[in-house]
Amino acid sequence: MLECVGESCANLQSALLPAGAEAADVATLFWILAAGAILIWLMLLGTAVYAVRVDPGKHDQRHARRFIIWGGVALPTLVLAAVLGYGLTLLTDFRAPGDGLRIAVSGERFWWRLRYHAGDKGSPWSETFAEAPHDIAFDSANELHLPAGERVELYLYSPDVIHSFWIPSMAGKIDMIPGRVNRLVLEPTRPGVYRGVCAEFCGTSHGVMAFDVIVSPRDQFQQWLKHQASSASLDDSHSGFRAFMANGCGACHSVRGTDARGRVGPDLTHLGSRRSVGTSLLANNAENIARFIAEPAHVKPGVAMPAFGMLPDKDIEAIAAWLEGLQ
Ligand code: CUA
């Protein structure tokens, strides 16, 4: 959950306040187009005023024809060709390789599955890639962490419906399409907290399918990465842990270091370290986790997770307290 007041809210999610190299290119292109559009509009207005007010009489045929050919055919062709050429040069940056870190992102209904890989090549979604040894490989969800000043490759995919991955402060949007892996390179330039969204209607909770993006300085990011790659520090005498295992939560969720190895829902190994629960909808605390477990569809309509409101309150509270403690 992102807390912002007044002006700072715009900073979280504005394509015109770029915090990434790609978004900066897009913003520059926008300002060039805006300036060009204003200039052409002023020229048109000037021509209209000239024809109606300054020289309203009959115009020489030959002059008029020349004016139409240069102003109506040649000028637009040149301007559009120049803008197209400039736009195409920007594409090469989007396709350049990254600096080593790869993150596979899958659009689920309605959350984001993240898989971090460092120190190897290839698409994190391919079978061979999954079997290859990696310095770092772990799953996470709904909170994207990026190092400032490094180029990170994202591999975007969806198992069922089309989503669109968009962090306006970082780069342009790109679709997540079943049966296809799209690649996007992000180069964050400014540490901070930003907001990403799903920009393609994908179902009931499309509107709340957002995520937090946390950009930190390199060292801090490496610390975070190491910590997230580790298993959960576990207290197996915790009543919440026992209730979690006894009620079958591990069939859908993974908590590394336990027998919970489900792959259907989000990985919960370090849930307590995230800023929010329910895809950036609720502040991350035991009360909200309990609320989500009891009635997930009240928080996020259309969610695949069944409601567990039938469990005794003390079990739900214990599970929530245990999950909150998974730092
Ligand atoms: Cu996912 Cu809209």
Side-chain angles (χ1 to χ4, degrees), residues 221-300:
F221 174 79
Q222 287 300 334
Q223 261 176 22
W224 176 88
L225 198 69
K226 235 175 110 186
H227 174 67
Q228 295 285 318
S230 66
S231 294
S233 48
L234 215 58
D235 168 13
D236 29 3
S237 64
H238 196 294
S239 59
F241 169 65
R242 279 184 274 127
F244 183 88
M245 297 310 288
N247 289 297
C249 305
C252 291
H253 296 281
S254 283
V255 177
R256 279 172 271 137
T258 74
D259 287 335
R261 297 204 183 95
R263 313 273 306 148
V264 181
D267 182 287
L268 302 177
T269 308
H270 296 286
L271 177 69
S273 72
R274 292 180 207 150
R275 296 165 61 93
S276 56
V277 284
T279 328
S280 100
L281 277 173
L282 304 171
N284 191 356
N285 55 47
E287 196 187 324
N288 283 336
I289 296 175
R291 195 174 142 200
F292 197 89
I293 294 170
E295 288 292 353
H298 281 192
V299 180
K300 208 198 289 180

Side-chain angles (χ1 to χ4, degrees), residues 84-104:
L84 177 68
Y86 177 65
L88 289 177
T89 64
L90 297 181
L91 282 182
T92 56
D93 284 346
F94 287 104
R95 293 179 175 278
D99 289 333
L101 179 68
R102 291 173 171 71
I103 307 172

Side-chain angles (χ1 to χ4, degrees), residues 45-67:
L45 219 60
T47 314
V49 169
Y50 178 82
V52 174
R53 288 283 162 90
V54 182
D55 187 6
K58 227 172 162 214
H59 292 270
D60 175 31
Q61 276 282 346
R62 218 158 50 96
H63 278 155
R65 187 167 302 149
R66 205 181 297 159
F67 182 75

